[in-house]
């Protein structure tokens, strides 16, 4: 009986990796992290999901949904900031949970992170393909049906070729020098902002206030169990902010991580919230929300008002710059898998780095290959909802972890970031995350249940027995 109890408790064995040295170079600064965050967050959400969210969930009131989603993400960002300053370990939420709640909760968080980023990368690649298709169709060009859509034999679709091609390029790019990749990412982020600035400036002259007359056509929705309305829109728009956590995963390559990482998270999240709100307000002002259920919403709106040249520019920029999201998230996810593998919960081959550039090569190849398959086979809407539910699930665990950290270690020391109103804010975050999870479709919950089961099986049959913590104790 005592031995069984010991085995049960051993799944909560803790490990703080913040003092461990890694093989990576510390060379990234605050601006690198801000642009990494912007590159991750400003992508499919603003170019695509804003249209779907307005058309099917909240109408022009989607701006309220965005603010609610931003508050939910912002609260979690405060937790990330404190964790990053107190436990500056690679792996982000995974390492923070390992140090506070123990191994099995940490594995679940890492599993949810892996699924979140994989589906997010795949969905962005799919959104990229949608913009390229829209641009090509304006010139009368289309791909053969068999290569022009996710798996649906009844429509003659078997695989979506374009997302696969873009992931081949992204994977090859991320395998190069990290600093060079982030410089390329920064240049594309600047280009992306130029397209959004053009959309806002042009759109201001075509706004029809009558389009806002029915501001909340679907109502507020319900706190738990709703499917549409402002709160349903918030659950969907939560997807738009995903990627901010990629900043915390660069800790082994950042100068002064305790100070710089919290700043990078908060600054990039603030910029994105303002940008999303303004773009959505203009989008629903120039075109009726009822027409926005399209995959290339921003370019579509410009074409509707006769600004074809601006639409083509936005499409070209979206085609180029949605790649930044794939780059940022592939970069971050490969380093998460590297950290998990280094701890023994995944095969050690994924913790190998190249001799010259210190890049986690096998982890990067795994991310790229899996994202190619998902982007080519699964539809965008399904991936977006699944990304939301796994992300909200690990943010609940992270909030619990912060409460435990404060109880066990006390208040942050001088110079470390301090989340205000603990434990009130973590408890509020848990309630908000559970509310947003309840807005999602039953099929998404089914997929989530299967994902949790698979994650538990991987830990039971591999991670538990290969854990580096267990080896050290033995």
């Amino acid at each position: 009986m005592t031995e069984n109890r010991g085995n049960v408790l051993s799944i909560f064995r803790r490990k703080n990796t913040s003092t461990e040295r890694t093989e990576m170079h510390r060379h990234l600064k605050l601006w690198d992290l801000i642009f990494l965050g912007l590159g991750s967050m400003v992508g499919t959400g603003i170019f695509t999901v804003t249209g779907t969210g307005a058309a099917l969930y909240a109408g022009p009131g989607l701006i309220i949904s965005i603010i609610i989603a931003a508050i939910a993400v912002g609260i979690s960002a405060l937790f990330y900031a404190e964790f990053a300053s107190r436990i500056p370990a690679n792996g982000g939420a995974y390492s923070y949970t390992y140090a506070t709640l123990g191994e099995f909760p940490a594995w679940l968080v890492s599993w949810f992170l892996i699924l979140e980023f994989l589906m997010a990368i795949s969905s962005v690649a799919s959104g990229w393909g949608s913009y390229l298709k829209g641009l090509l169709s304006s010139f009368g060009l289309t791909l053969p049906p068999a290569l022009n859509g996710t798996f649906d034999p009844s429509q003659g679709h078997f695989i979506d070729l374009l997302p696969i091609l873009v992931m081949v390029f992204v994977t090859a790019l991320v395998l190069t020098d990290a600093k060079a990749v982030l410089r390329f990412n920064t240049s594309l982020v600047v280009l992306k902002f130029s397209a959004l600035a053009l959309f806002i400036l042009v759109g201001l002259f075509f706004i029809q206030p009558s389009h806002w007359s029915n501001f909340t056509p679907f109502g507020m929705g319900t706190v738990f169990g709703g499917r549409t309305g402002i709160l349903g829109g918030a659950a969907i728009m939560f997807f738009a902010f995903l990627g901010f956590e990629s900043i915390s995963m660069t800790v082994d390559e950042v100068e002064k991580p305790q100070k710089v990482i919290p700043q990078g998270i908060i600054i990039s999240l603030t910029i994105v919230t303002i940008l999303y709100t303004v773009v959505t307000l203009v989008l629903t002002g120039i075109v009726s929300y009822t027409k926005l259920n399209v995959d290339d919403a921003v370019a579509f709106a410009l074409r509707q008002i006769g600004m074809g040249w601006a639409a083509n520019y936005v499409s070209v920029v979206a085609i180029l710059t949605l790649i930044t999201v794939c780059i940022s998230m592939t970069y971050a996810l490969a380093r998460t898998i590297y950290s998990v593998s280094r701890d023994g919960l995944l095969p050690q081959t994924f913790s190998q780095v190249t001799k010259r550039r210190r890049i986690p090569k096998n982890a990067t190849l795994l991310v790229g290959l899996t994202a190619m398959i998902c982007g080519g086979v699964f539809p965008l809407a399904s991936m977006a909802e699944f990304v939301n539910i796994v992300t909200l699930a690990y943010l609940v665990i992270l909030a619990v972890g912060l409460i435990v950290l404060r109880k066990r270690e006390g208040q942050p020391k001088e110079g470390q970031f301090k989340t205000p109103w603990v434990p009130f804010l973590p408890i509020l975050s848990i309630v908000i995350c559970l509310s947003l999870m309840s807005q999602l479709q039953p099929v998404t919950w089914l997929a989530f249940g299967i994902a949790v089961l698979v994650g538990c099986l991987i830990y039971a049959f591999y991670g538990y027995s290969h854990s580096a913590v267990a080896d050290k104790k033995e």
Side-chain angles (χ1 to χ4, degrees):
M1 185 73 176
T2 305
E3 183 180 346
N4 289 337
R5 185 171 179 271
N7 288 337
V8 171
L9 291 178
S10 67
I11 70 174
F12 297 103
R13 51 200 175 201
R14 290 181 287 125
K15 179 182 181 182
N16 188 336
T17 60
S18 61
T19 58
E20 294 183 358
R21 297 184 63 183
T22 73
E23 303 171 89
M24 297 186 185
H25 300 307
R26 293 192 181 276
H27 55 172
L28 304 181
K29 295 181 172 59
L30 176 60
W31 281 108
D32 293 314
L33 300 194
I34 292 173
F35 278 99
L36 177 64
L38 296 178
S40 297
M41 288 184 277
V42 182
T44 303
I46 201 163
F47 285 108
T48 300
V49 179
T50 46
T52 305
L56 302 181
Y57 292 87
L62 189 69
I63 63 168
I64 303 175
S65 301
I66 290 170
I67 293 171
I68 293 172
I71 291 171
V73 174
I75 293 173
S76 296
L78 294 176
F79 307 161
Y80 261 96
E82 179 166 333
F83 274 120
S85 66
R86 300 184 71 176
I87 310 174
N90 205 339
Y94 157 72
S95 294
Y96 308 151
T97 307
Y98 214 150
T100 53
L101 300 180
E103 186 172 276
F104 179 64
W107 161 252
L108 281 182
V109 166
S110 72
W111 180 238
F112 292 155
L113 273 168
I114 289 168
L115 293 175
E116 173 208 345
F117 273 66
L118 273 178
M119 291 297 107
I121 294 165
S122 304
S123 63
V124 172
S126 180
W128 176 88
S130 296
Y131 264 85
L132 182 55
K133 290 173 192 175
L135 182 63
L136 292 175
S137 65
S138 68
F139 295 101
L141 300 173
T142 57
L143 290 172
L147 304 176
N148 200 31
T150 53
F151 188 76
D152 186 357
S154 65
Q155 299 295 320
H157 300 320
F158 291 93
I159 196 165
D160 201 355
L161 179 63
L162 294 180
I164 295 175
L165 294 180
V166 74
M167 282 311 304
V168 170
F169 170 73
V170 167
T171 305
L173 192 64
V174 176
L175 285 171
T176 64
D177 179 71
K179 187 72 174 180
V181 169
L182 293 187
R183 282 176 180 164
F184 177 69
N185 179 71
T186 298
S187 64
L188 291 183
V189 168
V190 172
L191 187 62
K192 185 190 310 185
F193 272 70
S194 74
L196 293 173
L198 175 66
F199 170 73
I200 293 169
L201 291 174
V202 171
L204 286 175
F205 293 97
F206 293 89
I207 287 177
Q208 298 180 41
S210 60
H211 288 151
W212 297 328
S213 59
N214 191 6
F215 198 73
T216 56
F218 301 95
M220 278 298 297
T222 57
V223 174
F224 289 97
R227 293 289 180 267
T228 58
I230 298 297
L231 294 176
I236 293 300
M237 290 312 298
F238 191 85
F239 174 83
F241 292 94
L242 301 183
F244 76 92
E245 61 269 62
S246 62
I247 294 174
S248 69
M249 298 174 193
T250 63
V251 67
D252 286 337
E253 298 163 276
V254 177
E255 299 174 1
K256 301 179 181 177
Q258 287 97 331
K259 178 181 178 182
V260 172
I261 287 179
Q263 290 176 341
I265 291 173
I266 293 169
I267 293 172
S268 60
L269 187 60
T270 302
I271 294 171
V272 169
T273 302
I274 295 170
L275 186 63
Y276 268 79
T277 303
V278 174
V279 167
T280 301
L281 199 60
V282 173
L283 182 66
T284 55
I286 63 178
V287 176
S288 170
Y289 72 91
T290 59
K291 299 179 180 179
L292 290 174
N293 187 22
V294 293
D295 287 338
D296 56 346
V298 174
F300 170 82
L302 290 171
R303 291 191 181 99
Q304 288 293 106
I305 58 176
M307 303 299 289
W309 64 271
N312 288 339
Y313 177 75
V314 168
S315 293
V316 170
V317 170
I319 289 164
L320 291 173
T321 61
L322 282 177
I323 294 174
T324 64
V325 186
C326 294
I327 292 171
S328 300
M329 289 192 166
T330 300
Y331 176 92
L333 179 54
R335 280 143 184 82
T336 297
I337 293 174
Y338 163 83
S339 297
V340 178
S341 170
R342 198 175 57 180
D343 292 335
L345 303 184
L346 285 174
Q348 291 293 316
T349 183
F350 298 122
S351 61
Q352 295 176 6
V353 298
T354 57
K355 291 182 179 180
R356 182 184 171 194
R357 300 187 185 276
R358 302 299 178 187
I359 302 293
K361 179 181 178 181
N362 292 339
T364 303
L365 289 173
L366 175 67
V367 173
L369 181 60
T370 311
M372 288 175 209
I373 296 170
C374 294
V377 175
F378 298 124
L380 175 60
S382 300
M383 290 190 289
E385 282 218 0
F386 185 75
V387 166
N388 285 353
I389 198 167
V390 294
T391 305
L392 289 163
Y394 85 71
L395 289 180
V396 168
I397 299 174
L398 190 70
V400 175
L402 184 65
I403 295 173
V404 172
L405 177 66
R406 285 290 186 91
K407 185 176 181 180
R408 186 178 290 135
E409 304 293 339
Q411 299 288 324
K413 297 176 182 177
E414 185 177 351
Q416 294 179 335
F417 185 89
K418 180 181 179 181
T419 302
W421 306 323
V422 176
F424 170 73
L425 270 189
I427 293 171
L428 177 62
S429 176
I430 291 169
V431 172
I432 292 173
C433 288
L434 292 176
S435 170
L436 294 178
M437 289 173 74
S438 75
Q439 310 291 325
L440 302 173
Q441 302 294 328
V443 67
T444 305
W445 275 95
L446 176 62
F448 176 67
I450 294 171
V452 171
L453 177 61
V454 171
C456 290
L457 291 174
I458 293 173
Y459 179 76
F461 289 101
Y462 184 89
Y464 178 80
S465 58
H466 288 81
S467 167
V469 175
D471 291 344
K472 286 181 181 179
K473 288 187 176 179
E474 289 173 4

